Amino acid sequence: MVQAMRLDEIKIGTRHRKDLDDITELAKSIDELGLLQPIVVTEKCDLLAGNRRYRACGMLGWEQLDFLCLCGLPERHRTV
């Protein structure tokens, strides 16, 4: 189920992808169309997927973001 949470509640942590490219176009698309795919977090609010979307929504001044929670995910699959 898709829910919403405050951006400041999401824990980013160390990311594999270092280069986020230019997220200006993504922010423009989200501004025009909305967030079509929610980010994915753990039950402890650790970001698993959607760092670019998270950053783009932050650029737009959003305070809340839609997310899916992968609860009960084994620790070995929580690498971000």
Side-chain angles (χ1 to χ4, degrees):
M1 173 186 348
V2 176
Q3 302 171 28
M5 80 170 24
R6 294 185 50 81
L7 265 70
D8 59 7
E9 294 178 293
I10 300 167
K11 301 172 195 162
I12 303 300
T14 304
R15 310 299 300 169
H16 287 292
R17 182 179 186 169
K18 302 297 182 196
D19 183 12
L20 298 179
D21 298 321
D22 181 17
I23 59 174
T24 306
E25 285 299 315
L26 177 59
K28 181 180 174 186
S29 173
I30 291 172
D31 191 39
E32 292 174 0
L33 303 172
L35 186 62
L36 301 178
Q37 182 175 350
I39 64 167
V40 180
V41 299
T42 67
E43 64 273 5
K44 294 181 180 179
C45 300
D46 296 314
L47 183 67
L48 292 176
N51 191 25
R52 293 186 77 238
R53 286 169 273 156
Y54 169 86
R55 303 282 180 189
C57 290
M59 284 178 57
L60 294 170
W62 289 22
E63 293 183 10
Q64 291 192 0
L65 192 56
D66 290 344
F67 73 96
L68 290 173
C69 180
L70 289 183
C71 299
L73 190 64
E75 191 66 35
R76 68 181 179 273
H77 295 296
R78 295 178 189 223
T79 308
V80 290

